Amino acid sequence: MKHVLIYLLILLAFQVYAQRTHHCGTDAAALNYLGQQLLANRAISYIESRNEITYLPVTFHLVANDGGIGRVRESNVLDQLCQLNIDFRPYDIQFYLQELNYVDNSILYETHRDDENLLIRQRNNASINVFILKEANNSNEVENGRTLGYFNTQRDWLIMRRDQINDRSIVLTHEVGHFLGLLHPYNGWDFEPWTEEMHGNPAPTRSPRGISTERMDGSNCQQSGDFLCDTPPDYFFAFDRAENEDCEYQGGARDPDGVLVDPDELNYMANFLDQCEREAYYFSEEQVAIMKSNIQSPQRDYLRTEFSPERITSEEEVLLNFPRDNETIPTFNLVPLEWSPVEGATQYLVEVDRVRSFNVQTRRVVTDQNSLELSDLDARRQYYWRVRPFNAYNTCTEFSPPSVFRTGLVKDTTQLPLIEDWNIAPNPVRYTEPLSIDIVTQRSFATRVQVIDALGRVVLEEIQFITPSDRQLFLDLPNLGVGAYFVVVQTSEARAVRKVVVVE
């Protein structure tokens, strides 16, 4: 009966563990490789230059299914890169954005291990590669959702589950630690956490993977655990902590000498990653030395660049110039957006949605210009929009306050078959001056010209006849107030719209 009870307890322990989320999916072969690599890097005497910061390039692969559905938001990626730099800043290691790579492939998104050649074709060979997928399981036999991320040592890339890319999760920081050569402090217990029922107490002299069980007195610290001496023993206690405000393990495990084990719950490479205060986590001095030795090793030659970061002025805010708040745009299939440029910003993330929370049908575009034309909006709809500036290094930025506009019923066909080109001048124009419309054409035809205000009202309308020899129109603007207007030129075949600004 006693043996049956012990068996049931062990079975229950396995079932409970299987239901828990396994944060790190780095497999046994990878951990063995990292162990050999760490010992080699530990033997290297790394000479640090004072106040020298190492910048490492990162490519984020934003993977969706075949229809482009399920992709992580760009804003989450920017937040994640910002947080990664905050985490590594005390150690003079920083990261910058090499590329945002968009991939639409259901196999990669759902079950990436079915065809790793698809990943190989996407990788950037001059940066750290982070693939962001629906699931990060490193085996197709693993139940959905178990693994949040892992480092593939053979391919030298990181796999991350989509919901772990944000400014709250520490999973990517943990996996980058692996990428830079670190092991878990509970190395050897990675796939079989210690339990008294299964392993006894005191713990055995060897872990389930055959590595020496680390002792509290540090007598075997260089041959056990993570092979570092400033990280205390940990037998994978993360799933057996006491519910207390101090985030302290109180499971009662003892080392092979019978000494009560006191793990470091706040080390990035431990697995207490969602249980403690985020700001309190850190890397130990020996861990930092290993990471810096790894960066200087020949295998990381491809990461060392002459990158020099450019700062964004933190006090400068993006101003949404056009459309103005609550303005009505006469067109719906071609809507221009303009905003003020920000010093130091090289790219802008623009989001447009029907709701102020930007979580229903968000259109997201990254551009290197301070203007954008949208061509896929619905007629007579209200839309909110906002802009976030950033550059390769500075992603700790915020969106502008949102602004709202409404689309009209005019369909801008852009191409006017009867007109080769047309321009309005001057622009801006004084309200006391006439507006000139120059039209290049080889034919004669009648055209309807309208001026529409910010509320979508037609404030001026004329029908004029154009010939190849007399192709300039003049519009008087005596009753128009200062502001933005739209000039609509319509022929029998099509219409086009351009903005004009009236000033005093």
Side-chain angles (χ1 to χ4, degrees):
M1 185 67 179
K2 180 179 179 181
H3 294 293
V4 173
L5 179 60
I6 292 175
Y7 172 77
L8 290 175
L9 288 172
I10 292 174
L11 180 62
L12 178 61
F14 270 122
Q15 290 175 339
V16 170
Y17 174 68
Q19 294 170 359
R20 302 290 189 104
T21 297
H22 192 299
H23 290 91
C24 180
T26 303
D27 61 25
L31 293 172
N32 290 335
Y33 171 81
L34 284 175
Q36 299 171 7
Q37 186 184 63
L38 187 147
L39 293 174
N41 286 329
R42 194 179 67 182
I44 299 173
S45 177
Y46 172 73
I47 301 176
E48 182 178 6
S49 299
R50 180 172 296 181
N51 299 324
E52 181 178 344
I53 300 176
T54 299
Y55 295 95
L56 303 177
V58 183
T59 292
F60 288 97
H61 302 271
L62 286 60
V63 184
N65 65 17
D66 290 339
I69 306 300
R71 195 185 326 278
V72 66
R73 286 174 173 260
E74 290 89 344
S75 58
N76 284 20
V77 176
L78 299 181
D79 290 344
Q80 176 67 87
L81 183 55
C82 171
Q83 190 60 56
L84 192 66
N85 280 328
I86 291 174
D87 293 344
F88 279 87
R89 188 166 296 147
Y91 318 111
D92 292 332
I93 300 173
Q94 294 287 267
F95 305 87
Y96 64 93
L97 182 62
Q98 180 85 352
E99 181 185 5
L100 291 176
N101 181 37
Y102 295 85
V103 184
D104 293 348
N105 188 296
S106 293
I107 294 177
L108 291 187
Y109 183 66
E110 299 279 352
T111 54
H112 67 281
R113 292 304 295 266
D114 284 348
D115 191 349
E116 281 197 345
N117 287 327
L118 296 174
L119 292 171
I120 294 173
R121 288 196 289 270
Q122 294 295 330
R123 70 171 297 154
N124 184 317
N125 293 323
S127 71
I128 301 172
N129 287 267
V130 181
F131 290 91
I132 306 171
L133 316 173
K134 179 182 179 181
E135 301 293 348
N137 296 330
N138 61 351
S139 169
N140 291 332
E141 298 177 356
V142 176
E143 65 272 19
N144 285 340
R146 180 183 176 193
T147 302
L148 304 185
Y150 71 92
F151 171 42
N152 186 321
T153 54
Q154 182 181 7
R155 302 299 188 185
D156 203 32
W157 61 46
L158 300 172
I159 302 293
M160 289 291 298
R161 202 170 84 177
R162 179 187 59 186
D163 61 2
Q164 295 304 305
I165 299 296
N166 52 61
D167 59 357
R168 303 175 304 280
S169 172
I170 304 179
V171 175
L172 183 58
T173 299
H174 176 101
E175 299 306 332
V176 170
H178 283 316
F179 181 89
L180 296 180
L182 299 182
L183 289 165
H184 298 132
Y186 50 87
N187 184 41
W189 299 87
D190 313 77
F191 310 105
E192 190 178 308
W194 175 90
T195 65
E196 185 170 357
E197 296 79 12
M198 186 180 302
H199 305 101
N201 202 12
T205 57
R206 291 201 172 273
S207 68
R209 279 183 46 230
I211 297 170
S212 295
T213 300
E214 188 170 3
R215 289 167 163 78
M216 280 299 296
D217 65 5
S219 58
N220 66 339
C221 60
Q222 291 192 340
Q223 297 83 37
S224 61
D226 61 1
F227 307 139
L228 302 177
C229 292
D230 63 350
T231 54
D234 186 339
Y235 309 155
F236 205 170
F237 299 132
F239 297 150
D240 187 26
R241 72 175 180 90
E243 297 295 335
N244 60 77
E245 295 181 357
D246 296 329
C247 185
E248 293 182 359
Y249 167 73
Q250 296 179 354
R254 297 181 180 275
D255 74 2
D257 294 333
V259 180
L260 197 65
V261 177
D262 183 17
D264 186 351
E265 299 88 350
L266 295 176
N267 191 281
Y268 279 119
M269 300 312 295
N271 224 347
F272 293 80
L273 296 184
D274 56 358
Q275 302 171 11
C276 312
E277 289 294 329
R278 196 199 190 294
E279 295 76 13
Y281 288 92
Y282 73 102
F283 290 107
S284 73
E285 290 186 8
E286 291 186 29
Q287 286 176 326
V288 174
I290 291 297
M291 289 192 291
K292 292 190 173 183
S293 293
N294 181 280
I295 292 171
Q296 296 300 320
S297 65
Q299 75 180 89
R300 297 294 181 217
D301 284 347
Y302 72 96
L303 292 180
R304 295 196 292 275
T305 67
E306 299 298 324
F307 175 79
S308 179
E310 184 175 5
R311 307 287 177 177
I312 293 178
T313 305
S314 58
E315 294 80 9
E316 191 170 355
E317 185 178 281
V318 178
L319 300 178
L320 305 184
N321 296 331
F322 186 82
R324 295 180 301 177
D325 200 30
N326 292 309
E327 190 166 13
T328 297
I329 308 300
T331 57
F332 65 90
N333 69 317
L334 189 62
V335 175
L337 305 178
E338 297 178 8
W339 57 92
S340 62
V342 175
E343 184 178 356
T346 57
Q347 291 183 294
Y348 300 89
L349 169 60
V350 184
E351 291 191 346
V352 181
D353 205 327
R354 292 181 181 177
V355 296
R356 192 181 185 90
S357 57
F358 294 90
N359 62 359
V360 177
Q361 291 182 335
T362 310
R363 294 163 172 82
R364 306 187 300 271
V365 180
V366 175
T367 176
D368 59 2
Q369 304 295 317
N370 67 311
S371 63
L372 178 69
E373 285 190 343
L374 300 176
S375 59
D376 57 350
L377 302 185
D378 295 329
R380 302 190 68 176
R381 287 282 189 177
Q382 179 173 278
Y383 288 95
Y384 292 87
W385 69 295
R386 60 185 182 179
V387 177
R388 179 174 177 175
F390 66 97
N391 62 28
Y393 175 67
N394 194 169
T395 63
C396 299
T397 53
E398 296 182 357
F399 279 104
S400 65
S403 182
V404 62
F405 66 89
R406 187 174 179 84
T407 57
L409 291 173
V410 176
K411 183 176 182 180
D412 188 340
T413 56
T414 302
Q415 300 298 323
L416 298 171
L418 294 174
I419 298 176
E420 297 176 13
D421 191 18
W422 69 287
N423 293 288
I424 52 178
N427 191 8
V429 60
R430 295 182 182 275
Y431 71 95
T432 57
E433 299 176 351
L435 183 68
S436 172
I437 303 177
D438 297 317
I439 296 177
V440 178
T441 181
Q442 302 300 320
R443 297 170 60 184
S444 299
F445 59 92
T447 180
R448 181 190 302 271
V449 181
Q450 294 177 324
V451 178
I452 301 176
D453 68 9
L455 297 178
R457 300 172 300 189
V458 177
V459 295
L460 182 64
E461 182 174 18
E462 293 184 8
I463 296 178
Q464 298 197 27
F465 195 78
I466 301 296
T467 67
S469 59
D470 186 12
R471 59 191 192 185
Q472 191 171 46
L473 306 180
F474 292 95
L475 296 179
D476 291 325
L477 310 174
N479 298 319
L480 299 188
V482 172
Y485 295 84
F486 298 91
V487 177
V488 180
V489 173
Q490 182 174 346
T491 70
S492 60
E493 299 174 326
R495 66 176 60 156
V497 182
R498 293 198 179 155
K499 188 186 72 171
V500 62
V501 177
V502 177
V503 296
E504 292 184 356

